[in-house]
Amino acid sequence: MECVEAINPDILAEISKWAKKATLDEDVKNLRRSPRQKVKEIDLEENLL
């Protein structure tokens, strides 16, 4: 649940952006996802806890 709560603001922002564009265009055909953010690579020796 913590992971979901952590990304929830990003999800809501993206949905809001899609809703605004769909309303302006009066169509959902041209909706696109935003580019993915770069994620730091995990080192095999890194402690993830």
Side-chain angles (χ1 to χ4, degrees):
M1 280 308 283
E2 290 177 22
C3 292
V4 173
E5 290 173 6
I7 64 169
N8 194 32
D10 296 329
I11 293 171
L12 294 178
E14 192 71 18
I15 290 172
S16 176
K17 202 165 36 168
W18 288 341
K20 287 177 188 172
K21 179 150 179 52
T23 302
L24 287 174
D25 294 347
E26 297 182 353
D27 196 357
V28 295
K29 182 174 29 178
N30 295 323
L31 295 180
R32 300 282 184 256
R33 287 190 321 189
S34 298
R36 291 183 65 169
Q37 295 177 353
K38 289 238 177 194
V39 178
K40 178 184 156 206
E41 289 186 24
I42 299 173
D43 181 13
L44 292 177
E45 303 299 321
E46 184 176 351
N47 183 358
L48 299 176
L49 301 176

